[in-house]
Amino acid sequence: MPATDRRPTFPSARRSTAPSALATVLLAALLAAPPQGAARAQDVPGIEACDKEAKLERRTGCLQSNIAYLQGLIARNNAATQQRLAAAAAEIAALKATVATLQASVDRLQAAAGAAKPADTKPADAKPADAKPADSKPAAR
């Protein structure tokens, strides 16, 4: 009797040995894409050592590349500095407005406190006019 394959016929139990179409597409995309490190290493912007160039045209091009890089760097730094200065100026203006508001509140509170005091009250350390000095002796009878 021949041996029969007794695998279950349920769809969830079946396993496909062929790779799925999605896996094939992803693998092809990964293999077709150039590595990022290799592409960037060919032309890295920055300062180059131009004194190693023997030909005048190449040295001139190298120096012009350095100048262009430095001008771009200065422009980026200038823009960032201007942005920080504008933000600081806005914050200073907001703080000045807050200080003015607080000063107005203090002035109002001081005016209200001054108006609440009656004008005829005397300071606590003032002595009444009819009070006798402490060193005087009582009158004899």
Side-chain angles (χ1 to χ4, degrees):
M1 257 181 124
T4 58
D5 188 14
R6 296 192 182 212
R7 291 185 194 166
T9 57
F10 301 113
S12 63
R14 293 182 188 161
R15 301 278 180 200
S16 174
T17 57
S20 68
L22 179 63
T24 305
V25 170
L26 289 176
L27 181 62
L30 287 175
L31 292 176
Q36 291 181 357
R40 292 181 159 256
Q42 292 178 1
D43 189 24
V44 178
I47 301 296
E48 300 175 27
C50 300
D51 58 348
K52 296 177 183 172
E53 297 292 338
K55 295 184 178 180
L56 184 61
E57 296 84 24
R58 290 182 57 95
R59 187 177 290 205
T60 304
C62 179
L63 290 172
Q64 287 174 344
S65 173
N66 286 349
I67 290 169
Y69 171 75
L70 290 173
Q71 286 176 341
L73 184 65
I74 289 169
R76 283 191 303 271
N77 287 341
N78 189 26
T81 302
Q82 292 301 323
Q83 188 177 20
R84 286 193 301 265
L85 284 174
E91 186 178 0
I92 288 170
L95 290 173
K96 283 183 179 180
T98 302
V99 167
T101 303
L102 291 174
Q103 185 63 43
S105 296
V106 167
D107 292 342
R108 276 196 321 269
L109 289 173
Q110 286 177 344
K117 280 187 179 179
D120 60 350
T121 59
K122 297 180 182 174
D125 61 344
K127 296 180 182 176
D130 62 328
K132 296 180 183 177
D135 61 329
S136 66
K137 295 182 183 178
R141 286 191 191 202

